[in-house]
Each structure stands twice: as structure tokens, then as C-alpha cells.
Amino acid sequence: MQIINSIIHMQALAIAPERGERRISFVPTMGFLHEGHASLLREGRKRGDVLVLSIFVNPIQFGQNEDLDSYPRNMERDCQIAEACGVDIVFIPSAAEMYPHGFQTGVTVRDIALPLCGASRPGHFDGVATVVTKLFNIVRPDVAIFGRKDYQQLAVIRRMTGDLNMPVEIVGMPIVREVDGLAMSSRNAYLTPVERQGALCLSRSIKRVRELFAGGELSVAVLMEEALTVIKRESLADIDYIEFRDGTLLHEVTIADGSTLLALAVKIGQTRLIDNTVLGEES
Ligand code: PAF
């Protein structure tokens, strides 16, 4: 496994004639890898000849009062996980090289980036779209793999690659959960043991809504009431949003169907967690 820090070096490998017909599959991450990332890497391994993992805590997708400085990092462990998943190249650029003095270009995706996390984290998806575009230009992947836990991020990236005719296939992979239901996230590392228990209210509320929907309840008002009831039972929970949206365009809906997305963002103590489900899909 090769570790590359320089943009020019990574790009030179990606565009070298020696690449030939070899397909590059790419998993962009911010590091502190867990089993969710490992599932993306294993999928990437199957889909390409060369598997590239990037680790870059992207400063421009964090708001002023967010956790950029405290975002968990463990490069040594990340490299061990990468190696075990068959990664060929770990690309770890510096912020100084990614955003040199004078950097002033950004990518904005409009409507689909506005609700949900776009509303509570203004500018977040501009930062994501910009860094993913840069990474695609550097790594030149044929296929890129993203997790569906960041459902809106995946929708934004699909829209962007379509709108801008980027020749990259985007693959979304299912949420990976701990045995008790908590969606895996690097930010789970912030939770105290008591908060870790409290965090289960997100998956519990998803489970309850899915049960009701499976039993024939289609009224979003009723489903919402139940979701709220479950979360509000948890004293540590502070709701950012709970929303039911069309799973493709992210429009608001009042009657649920199989493609309806339930998306939640809830603070447990100081830690903001997100989770989601599409009601008609396997959980
Ligand atoms: O999902 C993430 O880890 C990040 O948002 C991404 C896609 C690597 C861009 O920084």
C-alpha cells in the first residue's frame, strides 16, 4: 500500500499512460475509519483494479462553531484498516496544498442542498461539493463509493456529477449499524457512555416509524408524531430536525410511500448525530 501526500504525485499516477485500462475506484473520507468505511472500501475493492482511499478533514465543510479542530483522527489505525481492506493508495493531502493562499473557487449545488443539513449547516454542502470535485480531478476515479448515512450528501454528489457531466459512477452503500442499532459514525467517539445509550433514540424512532409504515400508516403527520415522541422520551436529546422527504428530490411530503425518506439530526449532549431510512427499503 502506497501513501501519497502530494496532489501532483497522485494526479500523475491517475493520468499516467501506464494506468491503461485499469479502473480506479475511490473512497473519499475524513478518516477515523470504522466498519462503515470498511464496507465502502470492500465494495471499492470489488469494483476497481486500483483502490484509492483519501483521508482529508476538509476545513471548508465545517461551520465556525463546529468540530473541525476536535474532529477525531488516528492515521496509524486508519492505515491498518485500509491495508486490511485491500487499499492500494492512501491519499492524504494537506489543507495548505488543497486550499493554497488565494483559493477562491467553489461548487454550489442548489435546491437539493438547501433543506435538512443544508439548512442547519449553511455552506456545508458547498464545501463538500467543492472538495469532492477537487478530489475527483486529482484521483480521476471511474467509480466513487459513498455511505447512505449521509443521505443528502450522496444526493448532492449524484446531482453534481450528473449536472457537470463528471465521468464518475457514484455508488451508495447501506448504513452500517452497531448491534444495538446506532448508525456507525466517526463522531460516535465523542459520546460518553451515558450519551452513547441516549443516542439510541435515533435508531429507535426510525424503527418505530418503519413498523407503523409497514402496518399501513401513510400519514406523515402521524408518523412524525411517533418519531417525535420516541426522541422526546430521551432527556439528552435536542432535535435539530426530523423530516419526511421525497427520497429523490428531497421535497416535503405529507403522504408517505416506499420512497419516502425519514431523516433525523439530533444533538446528544454536544454531539450532533444524523440517521435516516427510506421507508420502503430494507433497513
Ligand atoms: O463524508 C465524508 O466523509 C466527507 O463529507 C467527504 C465526502 C469525504 C468530503 O469531505
Side-chain angles (χ1 to χ4, degrees), residues 7 21-22 26 45 48 90 100 150 166 170 183 196 199 201 239-240 250 256:
I7 293 177
E21 298 290 296
R22 289 192 301 163
F26 179 41
R45 186 62 285 167
V90 189
D150 295 289
M166 295 179 175
I170 304 298
R196 171 70 184 71
C201 67
I239 297 170
D240 179 351
L250 306 188

Side-chain angles (χ1 to χ4, degrees), residues 136-147:
F136 282 1
N137 284 333
I138 297 164
V139 175
R140 308 289 174 109
D142 296 281
V143 55
I145 331 276
F146 294 86

Side-chain angles (χ1 to χ4, degrees), residues 27-31 37 54 56-58 61 71 124 127-129 131-132 135 146-147 150 153 157:
V27 178
T29 76
M30 298 204 299
H37 296 111
S54 68
F56 179 60
V57 181
N58 175 35
Q61 71 185 72
Y71 196 82
H124 170 67
V128 170
V131 80
V132 171
L135 290 168
F146 294 86
D150 295 289
Q153 168 172 282
I157 288 164

Side-chain angles (χ1 to χ4, degrees), residues 156-174:
V156 165
I157 288 164
R158 282 193 200 285
R159 186 78 254 165
M160 174 186 85
T161 49
D163 287 353
L164 299 182
N165 309 100
M166 295 179 175
V168 185
E169 182 193 352
I170 304 298
V171 174
M173 291 295 290

